[in-house]
Amino acid sequence: MRKKWVLSQEQFDALLKWLDEDREKAAARYEEIRQCLINFFIARGGAADAEDLADETINRVTNKVEDLKDFKGNRLRYFYGVAHMVLKEYLRKPPPPEPPPPPPDPGQIEQEYRCLEECIQKLSAEDRELLLQYYYPQEGCTLTEQRKQLAESLGIAPNALRIRAFRIRARLQKCVKKCVDRSLE
């Protein structure tokens, strides 16, 4: 979206002259306009790149200064008009993708697996069997069908089965976390 123009000294001087004939006043006006543009972008959702967007706006106006010699209006308003278009382009582009998480440490995965096995062994045989049947479908049967059959065989409603499985799993997760934490000490 943003073009990386490198302004020449002549282009920059032309911009300053367009802002004001007095170089001191032009430089002050330039700084004022740049700060107004930064505030404009911050207020409209471009806070992370506000300075870059302001510079992009200034670059685009500078690139058109030759065509603007006869412009009689408010210079800041012209900058705002260009800034509005720059902002539209910025908001239209998709955000950069999140970086992928770092790969897991094989040693930690192995430790978590050992802790999971240890914690599963601490469960009652009934709870262990319920978890296996709840989370792992048998061949030729969908998980939904299997859960429905499991609830019927236990004589409970499917929602009660979900709650029971959730509570067992929560205990298991808590046990695994404690086990891993102990191994890190």
Side-chain angles (χ1 to χ4, degrees):
M1 180 227 73
R2 282 175 271 159
K3 297 159 184 74
K4 296 293 180 187
W5 285 313
V6 178
L7 298 179
S8 67
Q9 187 61 48
E10 294 81 30
Q11 288 174 309
F12 187 69
D13 289 341
L15 173 69
L16 291 178
K17 187 172 181 166
W18 182 70
L19 292 175
D20 199 298
E21 289 294 324
D22 180 346
R23 191 156 174 89
E24 293 284 322
K25 288 180 183 176
R29 186 74 177 134
Y30 170 85
E31 286 301 321
E32 176 189 335
I33 288 170
R34 186 171 186 278
Q35 191 57 53
C36 287
L37 290 172
I38 290 170
N39 293 340
F40 170 87
F41 289 115
I42 288 172
R44 287 165 180 79
D49 297 318
E51 289 189 14
D52 288 342
L53 294 170
D55 291 340
E56 174 66 18
T57 302
I58 291 168
N59 286 348
R60 289 186 187 189
V61 172
T62 302
N63 200 38
K64 296 283 185 191
V65 163
E66 287 299 316
D67 301 333
L68 299 172
K69 287 190 180 199
D70 296 329
F71 183 83
K72 301 287 185 216
N74 183 331
R75 307 298 199 240
L76 180 58
R77 285 182 170 244
Y78 188 84
F79 278 95
Y80 279 146
V82 174
H84 181 71
M85 295 312 211
V86 169
L87 181 64
K88 278 177 130 176
E89 291 174 22
Y90 173 79
L91 294 175
R92 200 174 329 138
K93 82 173 187 181
E98 291 284 326
D105 176 26
Q108 184 173 349
I109 292 173
E110 186 63 33
Q111 181 59 39
E112 288 174 358
Y113 184 75
R114 279 194 298 273
C115 286
L116 177 61
E117 285 181 328
E118 179 183 315
C119 290
I120 286 175
Q121 292 306 314
K122 290 180 181 178
L123 291 175
S124 69
E126 180 182 313
D127 286 349
R128 238 186 343 266
E129 187 61 31
L130 187 137
L131 276 183
L132 289 173
Q133 290 182 20
Y134 188 83
Y135 287 107
Y136 300 103
Q138 297 169 353
E139 215 169 297
C141 189
T142 67
L143 202 52
T144 305
E145 292 169 350
Q146 183 172 316
R147 288 177 179 173
K148 187 177 178 182
Q149 291 170 2
L150 180 59
E152 286 174 6
S153 72
L154 293 172
I156 59 175
N159 195 42
L161 175 64
R162 267 192 295 281
I163 292 169
R164 190 179 289 182
F166 173 79
R167 288 180 177 160
I168 296 168
R169 185 171 151 212
R171 283 195 334 253
L172 192 59
Q173 286 174 323
K174 190 175 179 181
C175 176
V176 169
K177 183 175 177 357
K178 282 183 182 178
C179 176
V180 169
D181 289 346
R182 277 194 314 265
S183 69
L184 295 176
E185 293 174 351

